[in-house]
Amino acid sequence: MTVEELQAQIDQLKAQNYQLSQQNERLAFQLKRAAEEGRFGLHWLDVPEDFGPEADNALPILKEVKSHSFHTPDGKPTHVLIEGENYHALQCLSYTHEGKIDVIYIDPPYNTGSDGFTYRDKRLLKEYPDGTPVPKESPLRHSYWLAFMHKRLQLAHKLLSDKGVIFISIDDNEVAQLKLLCDEIFMEKNFIIDVIWQSRKSVSNDTFISLSHNHTLVFSKSLESLNKEDFRVPVYTGEKFSNPDNDPRGSWIADPFDAPNLRPNLTYGIINPNTGKEFWPPKGRCWRTGEEEYRKFLADNRIVFGKKGKTKPQLKRFLTDAENKGGVLTSCQPDKKPDTS
């Protein structure tokens, strides 16, 4: 958004009798200055919810409804189901579970204009007293949603342990805004992945391109505190593993021997012993190991040169090793069972 477009939007809001608070005036000024200085970030008109002061100044208390309670036969603790406004619920949990939650999954309103998302702002409630969802044409549509999410994600961040991870479902309406918002709250360095998954199989004929996917943004509290092995899944032992050379170690699959990045100690020529042809790492990449370790792999029959023995080097990965280490998930999950080998 240019500075001129920003000023035009502010003038339009004023013309519609929106009384900007001093906070919003300061934010508008900061946004204008940021645009002039070329700073990168996410800015929006902060629209308070009408229960905001009460929530910030009053201690929330959970009340048990015994008629809805349930108990396990062995007397072990059960889960807690909190019914109520999600901001109040998160605030309650912040008193008892701050820094103790390992996994959070939320499915927030997608702000499509028809998904039932309502925002408890006095001006909006005055215009839509029956709680009508925020209309898609509202000039504050994204600001309402960002203000709603910002407060709740801040509380969620407090709840996460150092090894905690949050999963957030969203669609194309707000995924761009949500990513930037999470970059600010959880920090961009703690972003793990945007998982794309197929949300529908039917095709819409009344649009340019039929939308069939949704997103799940995954952020950590502290990426350096996580162990990659905790994200591994059981290996799908499909038809890819085989043993064409009757290796006594069992079935295997050929993995590329090259790796990302440029490292001089991992860049050297490898001679295919079957053809005499010399291979170097692809442009912008290096080999997975140094030359001495490569020679050990070659002597141990761990290096293959394609099915016909004429191509670049590949490294055998045995099924037993894959089962022990687990498979790596991918960011684009297909409709069928994934091959995580």
Side-chain angles (χ1 to χ4, degrees):
M1 177 182 292
T2 65
V3 176
E4 292 76 14
E5 291 172 338
L6 172 63
Q7 188 62 54
Q9 184 174 357
I10 293 174
D11 292 340
Q12 181 184 7
L13 293 175
K14 288 181 177 179
Q16 294 174 344
N17 296 321
Y18 283 99
Q19 299 299 319
L20 298 178
S21 66
Q22 290 184 348
Q23 181 180 4
N24 289 338
E25 290 282 10
R26 287 197 301 271
L27 181 57
F29 171 77
Q30 292 170 359
L31 179 56
K32 182 178 179 180
R33 186 177 65 180
E36 291 171 346
E37 296 178 359
R39 295 178 180 176
F40 178 77
L42 180 65
H43 302 269
W44 69 93
L45 296 175
D46 185 24
V47 186
E49 293 176 77
D50 65 349
F51 66 80
E54 175 189 351
D56 293 336
N57 298 314
L59 181 66
I61 298 176
L62 295 178
K63 181 180 179 181
E64 181 182 4
V65 181
K66 293 186 177 181
S67 60
H68 293 172
S69 64
F70 54 93
H71 304 278
T72 58
D74 54 10
K76 292 183 179 179
T78 60
H79 297 291
V80 177
L81 176 64
I82 302 176
E83 182 179 357
E85 211 291 326
N86 48 33
Y87 181 82
H88 291 154
L90 288 169
Q91 197 172 40
C92 285
L93 291 173
S94 69
Y95 288 97
T96 57
H97 290 74
E98 182 175 345
K100 298 179 180 179
I101 304 298
D102 292 331
V103 177
I104 296 177
Y105 169 75
I106 62 174
D107 187 14
Y110 289 1
N111 201 20
T112 62
S114 59
D115 63 349
F117 171 57
T118 59
Y119 191 78
R120 296 189 62 81
D121 167 48
K122 292 179 179 178
R123 289 170 294 183
L124 193 67
L125 291 174
K126 185 177 181 180
E127 188 175 356
Y128 303 100
D130 60 347
T132 299
V134 177
K136 202 165 187 175
E137 66 275 7
S138 170
L140 289 177
R141 171 189 166 212
H142 293 293
S143 289
Y144 282 134
W145 191 85
L146 285 167
F148 174 88
M149 293 297 297
H150 185 255
K151 293 188 287 290
R152 289 154 178 82
L153 288 176
Q154 282 184 318
L155 288 172
H157 181 267
K158 290 176 60 178
L159 291 173
L160 285 176
S161 67
D162 288 340
K163 294 184 178 181
V165 179
I166 185 170
F167 299 79
I168 312 173
S169 290
I170 200 67
D171 73 355
D172 283 359
N173 280 283
E174 296 288 1
V175 65
Q177 289 73 242
L178 178 61
K179 174 61 167 61
L180 290 174
L181 181 61
C182 288
D183 284 343
E184 176 185 318
I185 295 174
F186 298 95
M187 299 183 66
E188 185 178 2
K189 67 178 182 179
N190 292 318
F191 173 65
I192 296 178
I193 202 68
D194 174 11
V195 178
I196 311 298
W197 56 280
Q198 185 179 19
S199 58
R200 60 179 294 183
K201 295 182 179 180
S202 59
V203 176
S204 298
N205 296 317
D206 57 348
T207 186
F208 293 103
I209 298 177
S210 182
L211 182 67
S212 62
H213 71 276
N214 275 346
H215 305 258
T216 300
L217 295 185
V218 186
F219 276 83
S220 64
K221 180 73 169 283
S222 173
L223 192 63
E224 61 186 15
S225 299
L226 295 182
N227 186 347
K228 292 180 181 178
E229 301 304 318
D230 292 337
F231 286 77
R232 300 297 182 252
V233 295
V235 172
Y236 172 55
T237 56
E239 69 282 355
K240 283 194 172 184
F241 283 90
S242 61
N243 194 3
D245 60 348
N246 295 317
D247 193 305
R249 290 163 290 193
S251 297
W252 53 270
I253 191 172
D255 284 345
F257 193 64
D258 54 89
N261 300 320
L262 290 172
R263 296 178 60 181
N265 63 317
L266 301 182
T267 303
Y268 51 90
I270 291 180
I271 302 295
N272 184 325
N274 304 314
T275 64
K277 183 178 180 180
E278 185 178 43
F279 288 92
W280 288 79
K283 185 178 180 180
R285 297 176 70 85
C286 59
W287 297 127
R288 294 173 64 163
T289 71
E291 191 167 5
E292 183 177 352
E293 189 172 359
Y294 161 75
R295 295 187 182 281
K296 291 181 180 178
F297 279 143
L298 183 65
D300 193 33
N301 190 27
R302 293 286 300 273
I303 301 295
V304 293
F305 294 87
K307 292 181 178 180
K308 297 182 179 181
K310 297 181 179 181
T311 58
K312 62 182 181 180
Q314 295 173 295
L315 180 65
K316 284 184 179 180
R317 179 161 56 94
F318 293 97
L319 177 59
T320 51
D321 294 335
E323 289 176 331
N324 291 332
K325 293 182 178 180
V328 179
L329 287 168
T330 61
S331 62
C332 183
Q333 293 303 314
D335 187 40
K336 62 182 181 179
K337 185 176 182 179
D339 180 359
T340 55
S341 61

